[in-house]
Amino acid sequence: MRKSVLLWLAAALTLTVQARTPNDSLPSADGHTPTDSLATPSRRSFAARFDRLSSSRLYRATSLGLPLVVGGLLVKSEDDHFRSLRNDYLPHFDHHADDYLQYAPAAVMLALKAAGVKGRSTWGRMLASDAASALLMAGVVNTLKQTTRVTRPDGSNNHSFPSGHTATAFMTATMLTKEYGHKSPWVSIGAYSVATATGLMRMANNKHWLSDVLTGAGIGILTTELGYALTDLIFREKGLETTLSADTTAFSPRPSFVSLYLGVNIPLSGYDIDEAHKFRTSSGSTTGLEGAWLFNRYVGVGGRFTVSNTAIVVDGNQAEDNTFDALTLSAGAYFSCPLSPHWLVGSKVLGGWVRYPRLDLSAQRIPARQGFCAGSGLSLTYRATPHYGLRFFMDYNLMPSHSRGSREWMNTLTCGAALSVMF
C-alpha cells in the first residue's frame, strides 16, 4: 500500500509543476479579483510562485486532460480493487445507455447551432474543428488499443485500453464547452457530467478498468484541444463569431464543490471478530460522492457518501474470497485555506452512519450491522479552471467493528483523488 500512496503523491507533484497566471488573484466578496486580495506581501509572493507558469495556451489546453491521462497510468495497479468494488455492489449491471450518452453533448451542440444560437464558430469552422478532433481522438485510441492489447474485465477481447466510449464522450463534451461554454458555466458542467456518467457506465457494464476510463477521458479532452488549435492556425480570424478571453468567468470567492470520490483504503491494524478469531484488512478501494457549500473562503458544511471494499485475511494466514464491505453517509464542517487562486488546502470533521452487509467467511457468518462513524481529513485542491478542480486527499475514518462480539473500533486511511465541479 505504500506504493499506492507514493503514486497519488506523484500525481500531486505532476500537477504542481503546472501553475496559473501571475495576474490572477483571489476574488473579493463581490466576485472581482483585486491584486491585493491576499492579505500580506508574503502570501502574494507565495501565490505568485504557484501561479507563475500558466499564461500560455499550452497550459490551458492541457490543465484538464493531462492530469487525467497521468492519473489513469498511475492507478493501473489498483484496477483490480475498483473492479472488485463494482462486482460487490453492481454484479449484474447491464445497460447500454452509454452507447448513446457519448454523443449527447455533440447532439446538443448541433441542435443549438441549428436553432441559430451564436457560438464560438461558424458552421464551417466548427465542423472543421470537430472533424480534426475526431480524427485525432480515433487515431490515438485505436493505436493504443492495438498496441497495448489489454484484456477487458469481462474477458470479451483485448481492446480495453483506453476506453473509446469515454474518449468520445469527453471529446464531445469539450466541443460543446468550446462552442457554447461561454454562455453559462452550466453548459460545460452538464456536458462533463454526461461524459463522466458514460465513463462510470463503462465500468459498471464490466467493459473497462478504471485506468481505461481515466486515460480515455484525458485523450478525449487533449485531442479536442489539439484539433481546435490546428484549426485556429488554419482559419486564424475567419469564421469566429465570438472572441473569448482566456478565462471567461472569475473564480468564485466561495470554493464550494461537488466531487467524484476515488480512493485506496489503507488499514491501520487488525481487529477481533470474537475471542477466538481475528482478521486484518489489506488493500481495498472506495468510491462515492462528496460535496460542500462554503459560506465564505474558509468554512462551510457538507457531506460524503461512499461505498468501499477491503480484502480480508483471517487469523493471519487465510485469505478470504469475500471482501469487507461498508456503506457510509456522513456530514459535518468543511474548512478551506486558499494558497492562491488555483490551490487550496482543506480539512473537515464528519460524523455519520455506516452499514456493513452480511459477511460470509469460510469458517463463519457475520450478520449485517450498522452504527455511528466519524472521520476527518486533509486535502490539496488544484483549480484548473473556475469550475473544475482536482482534489488530492488523505482521510481518516473511525468505524465500529463489523462483529457485535468485538468492541474494537476500526481505523483506516483513505488516500486518493476527487474530480470536482466548483461553484
Side-chain angles (χ1 to χ4, degrees), residues 76 79 83 140-167 199 202-203 205-217 219:
K76 211 158 184 56
D79 276 340
R83 185 193 179 220
V140 172
V141 167
N142 288 323
T143 298
L144 287 174
K145 282 181 178 291
Q146 295 299 324
T147 55
T148 59
R149 303 186 68 82
V150 176
T151 303
R152 293 185 186 273
D154 64 358
S156 58
N157 61 45
N158 57 0
H159 297 151
S160 187
F161 181 84
S163 168
H165 281 66
T166 308
R202 296 305 288 165
M203 294 174 61
N205 279 319
N206 209 25
K207 290 296 184 181
H208 282 289
W209 309 97
L210 176 61
S211 59
D212 302 340
V213 168
L214 290 177
T215 306
I219 290 172

Side-chain angles (χ1 to χ4, degrees), residues 306-349:
T306 64
V307 293
S308 64
N309 69 351
T310 308
I312 302 172
V313 176
V314 175
D315 295 334
N317 55 18
Q318 182 175 333
E320 295 287 336
D321 292 332
N322 283 342
T323 57
F324 175 82
D325 297 338
L327 184 152
T328 65
L329 181 62
S330 305
Y334 281 72
F335 308 97
S336 177
C337 178
L339 302 178
S340 79
H342 301 273
W343 292 90
L344 309 169
V345 172
S347 184
K348 59 197 170 191
V349 178

